[in-house]
Amino acid sequence: MNTGARLPGLEEAQQRVLHVQRKLHEWASNDAERGFCDLWNLVCDPATLLVAWSRVSANRGSRTAGIDGKTRSYVEQSIGVERFLRELRCEIKTGEFRPSAVRERLIPKRDGRMRRLGIPTLKDRVVQMALKLVLEPIFETDFYPSSYGYRPGRRAQDAIAEIHRFTSNPSNYEWVVEADIEACFDRIGHAQLMGEVRRRIEDRRVLALVRGFLKAGAMRETGRLERTVTGTPQGGIISPLLANIALTALDRHYQADWRRMSYHTSSRQSLRRKGFPTYRLVRYADDLVVCVKGTREQAQALLEQLAERVEGIGLKLKPEKTGVTHIDEGFVFLGQRFIRRPKGSKRFVYTLVCDDALASIMRKVKALTGRSTANLALADLLATLNRVMRGWTGYFRYAAAKRTFSYLGNYVWRRVVGWLRKKHPQMTWKQLRRRYFGKDRIQDRGIVLYNPAAARVERYRYRGAQISTPWNEDTVDPAGARFRRTGHDDPAFLEAVQQALT
């Protein structure tokens, strides 16, 4: 790329960046041992920075400032985007750029503990996004099919579909090892992580930039600045990619085991006849499931092996979220409950909405329809409720959730009716119906209350090991019957799912 070129248009920049990403992905795929030396100019390229800015500014988090107090609106109104990117590019090229400490915020968890969220400055977010645009196509070729979290083209439903496939007939993996890595983002060892990065990246300036983000430190809520000796800040744009790179060492062990068990067509059957277990890891970020076909004792031994392997990369499992479960007893993964139940003379594995997930959305609805929101217009309330419920429903519409959706729809309807009675205590039920109801549907200013029961429930199709991304469409056809992305990748659905996960 010509790094001296003036700032291109956004569409042109996106095409240039995509072209480079496809080249990097192709080169990395063709040579698993190749090290990339000259990536610095790609990070500094005006097209890369412009695409990075467009993605950062489109995120709602751009309205939140880091320790410098600058937001997207400040840059657009006071500095100007073009000037901001030119100055940032000059800082990077001359070596003057230094990552700033993240602004820490503590987010309460359901169990009463706190999650540390780090908010980088807007400038750091743009540079992190530029790094991600360059590094992700390279490392994507090294990630294993068992990993699904924070990867392009993959999502939680793919992990759920794979577990459903292994626990269902004819595979019938009956034992499940559940595990969760404790404080994964906070405890990743920098030395181990940088060792994994160096397997592919040989450009010293890029390595120094990655190391700078890891060592930038954190501004605590008390105002005290602390340096970071482990971990990658949860909330940083590049943090999920770095976490996946670090956890690839764990995936590597299980992929080697799977290849050994699948050496030829009947290898796994032969191992089971000899009394050995067969197993498969499914990982979504720091949530792990190992599906086991064998005995409970063998599953327990595999849990101990998993703990040793996790400790080998400098992390440890969370005891309260780790254990061995039979598929007939059921277990929860990514908000869905897997359980095998009889139906007639056969047994089937179902994925259901877990109780915690339903309770969570009901708490949100209750908070939004409380007395404190009675000053809002009904249209504003409906818009907020619809956004929340569409996201939640979009995530769970691949589970056996028809009854759950109907129950939630009735609950929301009752809450909104109660909210209207509190807002208009002098109006009769007949007056409320005349003003706000149409065909028994609550509406205002053309906004109709969303009914989750109307959502279509369907089984998510298992897509196999090869899933199409923007960089491998030459080898994996995105329009093919098995790898089709159009049905599950429409922007409205992805935005709704992201809101539900957030």
Side-chain angles (χ1 to χ4, degrees):
M1 278 190 180
N2 181 9
T3 57
R6 66 185 303 275
L7 203 65
L10 179 58
E11 186 175 350
E12 178 189 351
Q14 289 173 336
Q15 292 298 322
R16 286 168 56 180
V17 170
L18 180 60
H19 174 73
V20 170
Q21 287 180 319
R22 285 176 172 169
K23 283 293 185 182
L24 293 173
H25 187 82
E26 180 184 355
W27 294 334
S29 301
N30 293 338
D31 186 356
E33 303 298 326
R34 177 170 180 166
F36 290 81
C37 300
D38 190 13
L39 299 177
W40 184 251
N41 287 335
L42 300 180
V43 176
C44 302
D45 189 86
T48 307
L49 293 175
L50 180 59
V51 173
W53 166 261
S54 70
R55 297 192 181 183
V56 170
S57 61
N59 194 297
R60 289 189 301 172
S62 62
R63 296 177 292 183
T64 305
I67 62 173
D68 61 353
K70 296 179 180 179
T71 62
R72 178 193 64 192
S73 59
Y74 173 83
V75 170
E76 292 174 343
Q77 297 170 13
S78 302
I79 303 177
V81 175
E82 186 167 347
R83 177 184 169 189
F84 171 79
L85 293 179
R86 287 188 182 280
E87 292 177 354
L88 177 59
R89 178 170 176 265
C90 183
E91 287 183 33
I92 300 173
K93 285 184 67 65
T94 58
E96 298 176 3
F97 175 79
R98 293 291 183 273
S100 303
V102 298
R103 182 165 66 94
E104 185 183 78
R105 283 293 175 266
L106 299 179
I107 310 298
K109 294 183 178 181
R110 287 195 302 265
D111 56 7
R113 292 184 295 181
M114 307 297 287
R115 173 182 281 111
R116 296 181 181 273
L117 182 67
I119 305 174
T121 63
L122 192 62
K123 185 183 295 186
D124 286 357
R125 276 177 256 181
V126 174
V127 178
Q128 286 189 27
M129 180 60 78
L131 267 175
K132 183 182 178 183
L133 290 171
V134 174
L135 299 183
E136 192 172 42
I138 298 172
F139 284 100
E140 181 63 26
T141 63
D142 297 334
F143 294 155
Y144 295 100
S146 58
S147 168
Y148 290 97
Y150 307 117
R151 293 181 58 186
R154 293 169 175 251
R155 58 190 65 90
Q157 281 78 14
D158 288 311
I160 293 169
E162 179 163 6
I163 296 174
H164 184 272
R165 175 174 175 267
F166 273 95
T167 54
S168 299
N169 189 50
S171 297
N172 292 325
Y173 281 58
E174 296 186 334
W175 293 100
V176 176
V177 177
E178 306 173 70
D180 186 9
I181 299 177
E182 186 172 5
C184 176
F185 282 83
D186 298 331
R187 295 182 178 177
I188 291 176
H190 291 174
Q192 186 267 341
L193 172 58
M194 292 304 299
E196 290 289 335
V197 175
R198 289 192 194 95
R199 290 167 61 93
R200 280 296 197 174
I201 308 303
E202 298 178 0
D203 192 318
R204 293 185 178 182
R205 291 172 294 183
V206 172
L207 292 172
L209 191 55
V210 173
R211 191 183 301 108
F213 281 116
L214 294 175
K215 302 288 187 182
M219 180 72 74
R220 306 300 182 193
E221 288 190 330
T222 58
R224 186 173 53 139
L225 181 63
E226 293 185 4
R227 67 190 186 98
T228 49
V229 294
T230 60
T232 175
Q234 191 168 356
I237 289 174
I238 202 173
S239 294
L241 174 62
L242 295 179
N244 269 333
I245 293 173
L247 293 174
T248 298
L250 177 64
D251 299 337
R252 194 177 297 124
H253 289 296
Y254 284 94
Q255 186 66 19
D257 292 348
W258 184 253
R259 286 173 179 167
R260 175 180 54 81
M261 291 184 288
S262 309
Y263 183 74
H264 55 79
T265 307
S266 60
S267 291
R268 294 195 294 274
Q269 293 86 340
S270 176
L271 286 171
R272 287 193 291 268
R273 284 195 299 268
K274 295 176 182 179
F276 295 100
T278 56
Y279 49 93
R280 174 72 168 179
L281 171 73
V282 178
R283 180 176 68 81
Y284 188 91
D286 55 351
D287 289 332
L288 314 171
V289 163
V290 180
C291 300
V292 183
K293 194 166 188 177
T295 64
R296 183 181 184 88
E297 292 72 21
Q298 291 170 336
Q300 191 65 41
L302 288 172
L303 173 58
E304 296 172 2
Q305 179 194 72
L306 173 63
E308 293 176 359
R309 289 178 172 180
V310 170
E311 290 175 3
I313 59 175
L315 301 169
K316 67 176 183 177
L317 299 179
K318 189 180 296 183
E320 59 270 23
K321 290 190 176 182
T322 300
V324 176
T325 310
H326 195 273
I327 187 62
D328 291 341
E329 301 171 3
F331 67 97
V332 175
F333 183 67
L334 298 178
Q336 298 196 22
R337 179 173 177 79
F338 294 77
I339 189 167
R340 187 169 63 182
R341 292 177 174 174
K343 186 176 181 181
S345 60
K346 299 181 179 180
R347 293 183 298 174
F348 298 92
V349 175
Y350 295 90
T351 54
L352 311 171
V353 180
C354 73
D355 294 340
D356 288 344
L358 179 59
S360 176
I361 187 65
M362 290 175 68
R363 283 195 300 268
K364 288 181 181 180
V365 171
K366 185 176 182 180
L368 290 171
T369 55
R371 191 175 296 275
S372 61
T373 63
N375 61 318
L376 295 175
L378 177 59
D380 296 334
L381 175 69
L382 295 181
T384 304
L385 280 174
N386 289 353
R387 184 169 60 251
V388 172
M389 287 192 298
R390 285 181 189 276
W392 191 88
T393 306
Y395 180 77
F396 288 104
R397 69 186 174 117
Y398 299 108
K402 199 64 179 178
R403 291 184 180 179
T404 304
F405 287 170
S406 180
Y407 176 83
L408 177 62
N410 290 332
Y411 176 79
V412 174
W413 191 89
R414 293 196 306 270
R415 289 296 306 180
V416 175
V417 168
W419 181 88
L420 283 172
R421 285 188 174 274
K422 284 180 275 190
K423 184 176 178 65
H424 303 287
Q426 305 302 323
M427 295 180 67
T428 65
W429 176 241
K430 184 176 181 179
Q431 291 171 326
L432 286 175
R433 284 181 61 88
R434 184 184 300 125
R435 181 171 178 178
Y436 294 117
F437 286 66
K439 296 182 180 179
D440 291 331
R441 301 172 68 187
I442 302 174
Q443 57 185 353
D444 186 33
R445 301 181 196 171
I447 301 178
V448 180
L449 177 64
Y450 176 71
N451 182 15
R456 178 185 176 186
V457 174
E458 57 180 321
R459 170 59 60 191
Y460 188 89
R461 182 172 54 242
Y462 175 66
R463 300 194 289 171
Q466 296 189 60
I467 297 176
S468 62
T469 69
W471 316 311
N472 67 353
E473 293 184 354
D474 292 339
T475 55
V476 180
D477 181 11
R482 187 175 181 185
F483 309 121
R484 184 165 59 237
R485 293 194 295 142
T486 54
H488 305 303
D489 286 85
D490 55 282
F493 168 68
L494 291 181
E495 182 181 0
V497 169
Q498 183 61 37
Q499 290 176 0
L501 291 176
T502 303

